[in-house]
Amino acid sequence: CYTGQECYEGCYYAVSRTFSMQEYPYEYHIICQKFQYDISGDMEQSRFAIRRNEGGHRLHTLDQADGQPVLPVFGCIDMLRLLANIQGVTKRQQAVELAANK
């Protein structure tokens, strides 16, 4: 979205919370990307991460990237397919392939 300060920003979040029979009752899986584009300086920033709690309270990062966006920032991505397969995603390339519907 345009913030009105010569800057566009946005984000993608795919989040899953499922019941678990482990010590901690829920498993969380998160794939997220935040991006910002400054028109005046022609600068782009992005942060991407795949995280999960793996049976405890704390989230652990499985893969991350800073700088250039991992997922396309303009256009369409298949969020439904990404969310349906979120438990098996551990690497950014898997997320890219699912989001692109490959």
Side-chain angles (χ1 to χ4, degrees), residues 16-18 20 22-30 50-62:
S16 169
R17 181 180 97 160
T18 55
S20 172
Q22 298 177 4
E23 180 181 332
Y24 189 68
Y26 295 103
E27 290 181 10
Y28 293 93
H29 298 83
I30 302 167
I50 300 171
R51 304 183 82 197
R52 67 175 54 153
N53 68 332
E54 297 182 347
H57 290 282
R58 299 181 67 190
L59 290 171
H60 300 279
T61 302
L62 303 178

PDB file of all heavy atoms in Angstrom, residues 16-18 20 22-30 50-62:
ATOM      1  N   SER A  16      -0.371 -20.828  10.867  1.00  0.00           N
ATOM      2  CA  SER A  16      -1.159 -22.007  11.218  1.00  0.00           C
ATOM      3  C   SER A  16      -0.963 -22.323  12.694  1.00  0.00           C
ATOM      4  O   SER A  16       0.161 -22.326  13.194  1.00  0.00           O
ATOM      5  CB  SER A  16      -0.705 -23.198  10.373  1.00  0.00           C
ATOM      6  OG  SER A  16      -1.260 -24.391  10.854  1.00  0.00           O
ATOM      7  N   ARG A  17      -2.057 -22.578  13.384  1.00  0.00           N
ATOM      8  CA  ARG A  17      -2.005 -23.029  14.774  1.00  0.00           C
ATOM      9  C   ARG A  17      -2.810 -24.323  14.850  1.00  0.00           C
ATOM     10  O   ARG A  17      -4.002 -24.338  14.572  1.00  0.00           O
ATOM     11  CB  ARG A  17      -2.608 -21.993  15.712  1.00  0.00           C
ATOM     12  CG  ARG A  17      -2.535 -22.433  17.171  1.00  0.00           C
ATOM     13  CD  ARG A  17      -3.137 -21.388  18.061  1.00  0.00           C
ATOM     14  NE  ARG A  17      -4.510 -21.751  18.342  1.00  0.00           N
ATOM     15  CZ  ARG A  17      -5.195 -21.278  19.359  1.00  0.00           C
ATOM     16  NH1 ARG A  17      -4.679 -20.379  20.167  1.00  0.00           N
ATOM     17  NH2 ARG A  17      -6.428 -21.659  19.562  1.00  0.00           N
ATOM     18  N   THR A  18      -2.139 -25.411  15.201  1.00  0.00           N
ATOM     19  CA  THR A  18      -2.804 -26.706  15.284  1.00  0.00           C
ATOM     20  C   THR A  18      -2.610 -27.307  16.662  1.00  0.00           C
ATOM     21  O   THR A  18      -1.608 -27.066  17.332  1.00  0.00           O
ATOM     22  CB  THR A  18      -2.262 -27.683  14.223  1.00  0.00           C
ATOM     23  OG1 THR A  18      -0.849 -27.789  14.363  1.00  0.00           O
ATOM     24  CG2 THR A  18      -2.602 -27.212  12.825  1.00  0.00           C
ATOM     25  N   SER A  20      -1.689 -29.979  19.414  1.00  0.00           N
ATOM     26  CA  SER A  20      -0.598 -30.947  19.499  1.00  0.00           C
ATOM     27  C   SER A  20      -0.764 -31.793  20.751  1.00  0.00           C
ATOM     28  O   SER A  20      -1.236 -31.315  21.778  1.00  0.00           O
ATOM     29  CB  SER A  20       0.739 -30.201  19.559  1.00  0.00           C
ATOM     30  OG  SER A  20       1.787 -31.099  19.835  1.00  0.00           O
ATOM     31  N   GLN A  22       1.775 -32.886  22.351  1.00  0.00           N
ATOM     32  CA  GLN A  22       3.024 -32.716  23.089  1.00  0.00           C
ATOM     33  C   GLN A  22       2.775 -31.904  24.361  1.00  0.00           C
ATOM     34  O   GLN A  22       1.648 -31.554  24.679  1.00  0.00           O
ATOM     35  CB  GLN A  22       4.061 -32.032  22.206  1.00  0.00           C
ATOM     36  CG  GLN A  22       4.406 -32.854  20.982  1.00  0.00           C
ATOM     37  CD  GLN A  22       5.395 -32.123  20.077  1.00  0.00           C
ATOM     38  OE1 GLN A  22       5.877 -31.054  20.398  1.00  0.00           O
ATOM     39  NE2 GLN A  22       5.675 -32.725  18.945  1.00  0.00           N
ATOM     40  N   GLU A  23       3.855 -31.590  25.063  1.00  0.00           N
ATOM     41  CA  GLU A  23       3.771 -30.839  26.317  1.00  0.00           C
ATOM     42  C   GLU A  23       3.065 -29.495  26.135  1.00  0.00           C
ATOM     43  O   GLU A  23       2.219 -29.103  26.908  1.00  0.00           O
ATOM     44  CB  GLU A  23       5.180 -30.616  26.874  1.00  0.00           C
ATOM     45  CG  GLU A  23       5.217 -29.845  28.171  1.00  0.00           C
ATOM     46  CD  GLU A  23       6.633 -29.637  28.646  1.00  0.00           C
ATOM     47  OE1 GLU A  23       7.520 -30.452  28.339  1.00  0.00           O
ATOM     48  OE2 GLU A  23       6.847 -28.636  29.341  1.00  0.00           O
ATOM     49  N   TYR A  24       3.440 -28.763  25.099  1.00  0.00           N
ATOM     50  CA  TYR A  24       2.789 -27.499  24.788  1.00  0.00           C
ATOM     51  C   TYR A  24       1.628 -27.809  23.842  1.00  0.00           C
ATOM     52  O   TYR A  24       1.812 -28.505  22.848  1.00  0.00           O
ATOM     53  CB  TYR A  24       3.800 -26.538  24.151  1.00  0.00           C
ATOM     54  CG  TYR A  24       3.291 -25.142  23.978  1.00  0.00           C
ATOM     55  CD1 TYR A  24       3.032 -24.336  25.084  1.00  0.00           C
ATOM     56  CD2 TYR A  24       3.060 -24.623  22.722  1.00  0.00           C
ATOM     57  CE1 TYR A  24       2.554 -23.046  24.933  1.00  0.00           C
ATOM     58  CE2 TYR A  24       2.587 -23.332  22.558  1.00  0.00           C
ATOM     59  CZ  TYR A  24       2.336 -22.556  23.667  1.00  0.00           C
ATOM     60  OH  TYR A  24       1.863 -21.283  23.512  1.00  0.00           O
ATOM     61  N   PRO A  25       0.421 -27.327  24.111  1.00  0.00           N
ATOM     62  CA  PRO A  25      -0.755 -27.819  23.373  1.00  0.00           C
ATOM     63  C   PRO A  25      -0.902 -27.379  21.919  1.00  0.00           C
ATOM     64  O   PRO A  25      -1.716 -27.934  21.211  1.00  0.00           O
ATOM     65  CB  PRO A  25      -1.922 -27.280  24.202  1.00  0.00           C
ATOM     66  CG  PRO A  25      -1.389 -26.106  24.913  1.00  0.00           C
ATOM     67  CD  PRO A  25       0.069 -26.403  25.161  1.00  0.00           C
ATOM     68  N   TYR A  26      -0.125 -26.394  21.452  1.00  0.00           N
ATOM     69  CA  TYR A  26      -0.295 -25.934  20.081  1.00  0.00           C
ATOM     70  C   TYR A  26       1.028 -25.888  19.341  1.00  0.00           C
ATOM     71  O   TYR A  26       2.058 -25.585  19.917  1.00  0.00           O
ATOM     72  CB  TYR A  26      -0.919 -24.528  20.041  1.00  0.00           C
ATOM     73  CG  TYR A  26      -2.317 -24.498  20.584  1.00  0.00           C
ATOM     74  CD1 TYR A  26      -2.574 -24.008  21.851  1.00  0.00           C
ATOM     75  CD2 TYR A  26      -3.380 -24.978  19.830  1.00  0.00           C
ATOM     76  CE1 TYR A  26      -3.859 -23.987  22.360  1.00  0.00           C
ATOM     77  CE2 TYR A  26      -4.668 -24.962  20.329  1.00  0.00           C
ATOM     78  CZ  TYR A  26      -4.904 -24.470  21.594  1.00  0.00           C
ATOM     79  OH  TYR A  26      -6.174 -24.459  22.084  1.00  0.00           O
ATOM     80  N   GLU A  27       0.952 -26.178  18.047  1.00  0.00           N
ATOM     81  CA  GLU A  27       2.091 -26.010  17.151  1.00  0.00           C
ATOM     82  C   GLU A  27       1.792 -24.816  16.254  1.00  0.00           C
ATOM     83  O   GLU A  27       0.701 -24.699  15.708  1.00  0.00           O
ATOM     84  CB  GLU A  27       2.279 -27.243  16.265  1.00  0.00           C
ATOM     85  CG  GLU A  27       2.759 -28.455  17.006  1.00  0.00           C
ATOM     86  CD  GLU A  27       2.960 -29.641  16.080  1.00  0.00           C
ATOM     87  OE1 GLU A  27       2.913 -29.468  14.839  1.00  0.00           O
ATOM     88  OE2 GLU A  27       3.144 -30.745  16.596  1.00  0.00           O
ATOM     89  N   TYR A  28       2.771 -23.935  16.118  1.00  0.00           N
ATOM     90  CA  TYR A  28       2.632 -22.755  15.274  1.00  0.00           C
ATOM     91  C   TYR A  28       3.596 -22.864  14.102  1.00  0.00           C
ATOM     92  O   TYR A  28       4.755 -23.215  14.280  1.00  0.00           O
ATOM     93  CB  TYR A  28       2.945 -21.478  16.058  1.00  0.00           C
ATOM     94  CG  TYR A  28       1.936 -21.184  17.127  1.00  0.00           C
ATOM     95  CD1 TYR A  28       2.135 -21.623  18.426  1.00  0.00           C
ATOM     96  CD2 TYR A  28       0.785 -20.464  16.844  1.00  0.00           C
ATOM     97  CE1 TYR A  28       1.203 -21.358  19.414  1.00  0.00           C
ATOM     98  CE2 TYR A  28      -0.143 -20.189  17.822  1.00  0.00           C
ATOM     99  CZ  TYR A  28       0.069 -20.636  19.115  1.00  0.00           C
ATOM    100  OH  TYR A  28      -0.854 -20.378  20.090  1.00  0.00           O
ATOM    101  N   HIS A  29       3.114 -22.540  12.917  1.00  0.00           N
ATOM    102  CA  HIS A  29       3.922 -22.479  11.702  1.00  0.00           C
ATOM    103  C   HIS A  29       3.660 -21.125  11.073  1.00  0.00           C
ATOM    104  O   HIS A  29       2.504 -20.746  10.864  1.00  0.00           O
ATOM    105  CB  HIS A  29       3.534 -23.587  10.731  1.00  0.00           C
ATOM    106  CG  HIS A  29       3.754 -24.960  11.268  1.00  0.00           C
ATOM    107  ND1 HIS A  29       2.843 -25.590  12.083  1.00  0.00           N
ATOM    108  CD2 HIS A  29       4.785 -25.806  11.122  1.00  0.00           C
ATOM    109  CE1 HIS A  29       3.317 -26.778  12.397  1.00  0.00           C
ATOM    110  NE2 HIS A  29       4.481 -26.937  11.827  1.00  0.00           N
ATOM    111  N   ILE A  30       4.727 -20.401  10.759  1.00  0.00           N
ATOM    112  CA  ILE A  30       4.586 -19.043  10.237  1.00  0.00           C
ATOM    113  C   ILE A  30       5.524 -18.845   9.046  1.00  0.00           C
ATOM    114  O   ILE A  30       6.698 -19.185   9.119  1.00  0.00           O
ATOM    115  CB  ILE A  30       4.931 -18.000  11.322  1.00  0.00           C
ATOM    116  CG1 ILE A  30       4.020 -18.187  12.536  1.00  0.00           C
ATOM    117  CG2 ILE A  30       4.834 -16.590  10.765  1.00  0.00           C
ATOM    118  CD1 ILE A  30       4.474 -17.435  13.758  1.00  0.00           C
ATOM    119  N   ILE A  50      10.711 -18.086   7.896  1.00  0.00           N
ATOM    120  CA  ILE A  50       9.896 -19.267   8.150  1.00  0.00           C
ATOM    121  C   ILE A  50      10.189 -19.650   9.591  1.00  0.00           C
ATOM    122  O   ILE A  50      11.351 -19.884   9.950  1.00  0.00           O
ATOM    123  CB  ILE A  50      10.246 -20.434   7.210  1.00  0.00           C
ATOM    124  CG1 ILE A  50      10.036 -20.031   5.756  1.00  0.00           C
ATOM    125  CG2 ILE A  50       9.412 -21.676   7.564  1.00  0.00           C
ATOM    126  CD1 ILE A  50      10.554 -21.047   4.760  1.00  0.00           C
ATOM    127  N   ARG A  51       9.139 -19.705  10.405  1.00  0.00           N
ATOM    128  CA  ARG A  51       9.345 -19.975  11.832  1.00  0.00           C
ATOM    129  C   ARG A  51       8.332 -20.992  12.323  1.00  0.00           C
ATOM    130  O   ARG A  51       7.243 -21.116  11.787  1.00  0.00           O
ATOM    131  CB  ARG A  51       9.205 -18.678  12.633  1.00  0.00           C
ATOM    132  CG  ARG A  51      10.164 -17.609  12.139  1.00  0.00           C
ATOM    133  CD  ARG A  51      10.094 -16.375  12.955  1.00  0.00           C
ATOM    134  NE  ARG A  51      10.934 -16.607  14.129  1.00  0.00           N
ATOM    135  CZ  ARG A  51      10.886 -15.889  15.229  1.00  0.00           C
ATOM    136  NH1 ARG A  51      10.047 -14.901  15.343  1.00  0.00           N
ATOM    137  NH2 ARG A  51      11.681 -16.159  16.247  1.00  0.00           N
ATOM    138  N   ARG A  52       8.702 -21.709  13.388  1.00  0.00           N
ATOM    139  CA  ARG A  52       7.762 -22.610  14.074  1.00  0.00           C
ATOM    140  C   ARG A  52       8.209 -22.793  15.508  1.00  0.00           C
ATOM    141  O   ARG A  52       9.351 -22.532  15.841  1.00  0.00           O
ATOM    142  CB  ARG A  52       7.614 -23.929  13.349  1.00  0.00           C
ATOM    143  CG  ARG A  52       8.825 -24.826  13.335  1.00  0.00           C
ATOM    144  CD  ARG A  52       8.519 -26.153  12.693  1.00  0.00           C
ATOM    145  NE  ARG A  52       7.965 -25.934  11.376  1.00  0.00           N
ATOM    146  CZ  ARG A  52       8.026 -26.752  10.369  1.00  0.00           C
ATOM    147  NH1 ARG A  52       8.630 -27.888  10.509  1.00  0.00           N
ATOM    148  NH2 ARG A  52       7.509 -26.466   9.210  1.00  0.00           N
ATOM    149  N   ASN A  53       7.300 -23.274  16.347  1.00  0.00           N
ATOM    150  CA  ASN A  53       7.641 -23.395  17.758  1.00  0.00           C
ATOM    151  C   ASN A  53       8.213 -24.753  18.127  1.00  0.00           C
ATOM    152  O   ASN A  53       8.824 -24.881  19.175  1.00  0.00           O
ATOM    153  CB  ASN A  53       6.443 -23.059  18.650  1.00  0.00           C
ATOM    154  CG  ASN A  53       5.329 -24.078  18.565  1.00  0.00           C
ATOM    155  OD1 ASN A  53       5.161 -24.738  17.535  1.00  0.00           O
ATOM    156  ND2 ASN A  53       4.558 -24.203  19.617  1.00  0.00           N
ATOM    157  N   GLU A  54       8.046 -25.765  17.339  1.00  0.00           N
ATOM    158  CA  GLU A  54       8.626 -27.093  17.560  1.00  0.00           C
ATOM    159  C   GLU A  54       8.431 -27.613  18.986  1.00  0.00           C
ATOM    160  O   GLU A  54       9.358 -28.021  19.664  1.00  0.00           O
ATOM    161  CB  GLU A  54      10.109 -27.086  17.184  1.00  0.00           C
ATOM    162  CG  GLU A  54      10.321 -26.801  15.709  1.00  0.00           C
ATOM    163  CD  GLU A  54      11.764 -26.845  15.289  1.00  0.00           C
ATOM    164  OE1 GLU A  54      12.667 -26.856  16.141  1.00  0.00           O
ATOM    165  OE2 GLU A  54      11.988 -26.876  14.070  1.00  0.00           O
ATOM    166  N   GLY A  55       7.191 -27.562  19.463  1.00  0.00           N
ATOM    167  CA  GLY A  55       6.841 -28.177  20.738  1.00  0.00           C
ATOM    168  C   GLY A  55       7.074 -27.339  21.979  1.00  0.00           C
ATOM    169  O   GLY A  55       6.890 -27.811  23.079  1.00  0.00           O
ATOM    170  N   GLY A  56       7.461 -26.100  21.856  1.00  0.00           N
ATOM    171  CA  GLY A  56       7.682 -25.248  23.014  1.00  0.00           C
ATOM    172  C   GLY A  56       7.023 -23.896  22.835  1.00  0.00           C
ATOM    173  O   GLY A  56       6.290 -23.658  21.885  1.00  0.00           O
ATOM    174  N   HIS A  57       7.284 -23.007  23.765  1.00  0.00           N
ATOM    175  CA  HIS A  57       6.709 -21.669  23.703  1.00  0.00           C
ATOM    176  C   HIS A  57       7.426 -20.773  22.696  1.00  0.00           C
ATOM    177  O   HIS A  57       6.824 -19.900  22.109  1.00  0.00           O
ATOM    178  CB  HIS A  57       6.774 -20.995  25.082  1.00  0.00           C
ATOM    179  CG  HIS A  57       5.843 -21.604  26.068  1.00  0.00           C
ATOM    180  ND1 HIS A  57       4.493 -21.335  26.068  1.00  0.00           N
ATOM    181  CD2 HIS A  57       6.046 -22.470  27.081  1.00  0.00           C
ATOM    182  CE1 HIS A  57       3.912 -22.000  27.037  1.00  0.00           C
ATOM    183  NE2 HIS A  57       4.837 -22.710  27.672  1.00  0.00           N
ATOM    184  N   ARG A  58       8.723 -20.956  22.510  1.00  0.00           N
ATOM    185  CA  ARG A  58       9.530 -20.069  21.675  1.00  0.00           C
ATOM    186  C   ARG A  58       9.468 -20.467  20.207  1.00  0.00           C
ATOM    187  O   ARG A  58       9.499 -21.645  19.877  1.00  0.00           O
ATOM    188  CB  ARG A  58      10.971 -20.098  22.146  1.00  0.00           C
ATOM    189  CG  ARG A  58      11.110 -19.626  23.585  1.00  0.00           C
ATOM    190  CD  ARG A  58      12.511 -19.628  24.033  1.00  0.00           C
ATOM    191  NE  ARG A  58      13.210 -18.592  23.270  1.00  0.00           N
ATOM    192  CZ  ARG A  58      14.511 -18.438  23.280  1.00  0.00           C
ATOM    193  NH1 ARG A  58      15.273 -19.244  23.989  1.00  0.00           N
ATOM    194  NH2 ARG A  58      15.077 -17.483  22.587  1.00  0.00           N
ATOM    195  N   LEU A  59       9.439 -19.462  19.353  1.00  0.00           N
ATOM    196  CA  LEU A  59       9.493 -19.700  17.918  1.00  0.00           C
ATOM    197  C   LEU A  59      10.943 -19.819  17.479  1.00  0.00           C
ATOM    198  O   LEU A  59      11.802 -19.070  17.941  1.00  0.00           O
ATOM    199  CB  LEU A  59       8.830 -18.554  17.154  1.00  0.00           C
ATOM    200  CG  LEU A  59       7.322 -18.455  17.299  1.00  0.00           C
ATOM    201  CD1 LEU A  59       6.817 -17.161  16.687  1.00  0.00           C
ATOM    202  CD2 LEU A  59       6.640 -19.642  16.655  1.00  0.00           C
ATOM    203  N   HIS A  60      11.209 -20.766  16.581  1.00  0.00           N
ATOM    204  CA  HIS A  60      12.549 -20.978  16.038  1.00  0.00           C
ATOM    205  C   HIS A  60      12.520 -20.636  14.554  1.00  0.00           C
ATOM    206  O   HIS A  60      11.587 -20.996  13.841  1.00  0.00           O
ATOM    207  CB  HIS A  60      12.986 -22.430  16.217  1.00  0.00           C
ATOM    208  CG  HIS A  60      13.037 -22.852  17.645  1.00  0.00           C
ATOM    209  ND1 HIS A  60      14.095 -22.572  18.464  1.00  0.00           N
ATOM    210  CD2 HIS A  60      12.132 -23.509  18.402  1.00  0.00           C
ATOM    211  CE1 HIS A  60      13.861 -23.045  19.669  1.00  0.00           C
ATOM    212  NE2 HIS A  60      12.666 -23.624  19.651  1.00  0.00           N
ATOM    213  N   THR A  61      13.541 -19.965  14.089  1.00  0.00           N
ATOM    214  CA  THR A  61      13.646 -19.616  12.684  1.00  0.00           C
ATOM    215  C   THR A  61      14.272 -20.765  11.911  1.00  0.00           C
ATOM    216  O   THR A  61      15.371 -21.203  12.228  1.00  0.00           O
ATOM    217  CB  THR A  61      14.497 -18.337  12.514  1.00  0.00           C
ATOM    218  OG1 THR A  61      13.890 -17.287  13.268  1.00  0.00           O
ATOM    219  CG2 THR A  61      14.594 -17.938  11.056  1.00  0.00           C
ATOM    220  N   LEU A  62      13.558 -21.259  10.896  1.00  0.00           N
ATOM    221  CA  LEU A  62      14.056 -22.346  10.055  1.00  0.00           C
ATOM    222  C   LEU A  62      14.818 -21.803   8.850  1.00  0.00           C
ATOM    223  O   LEU A  62      15.759 -22.420   8.375  1.00  0.00           O
ATOM    224  CB  LEU A  62      12.902 -23.226   9.580  1.00  0.00           C
ATOM    225  CG  LEU A  62      12.046 -23.851  10.674  1.00  0.00           C
ATOM    226  CD1 LEU A  62      10.918 -24.658  10.058  1.00  0.00           C
ATOM    227  CD2 LEU A  62      12.884 -24.699  11.592  1.00  0.00           C
TER     228      LEU A  62
END
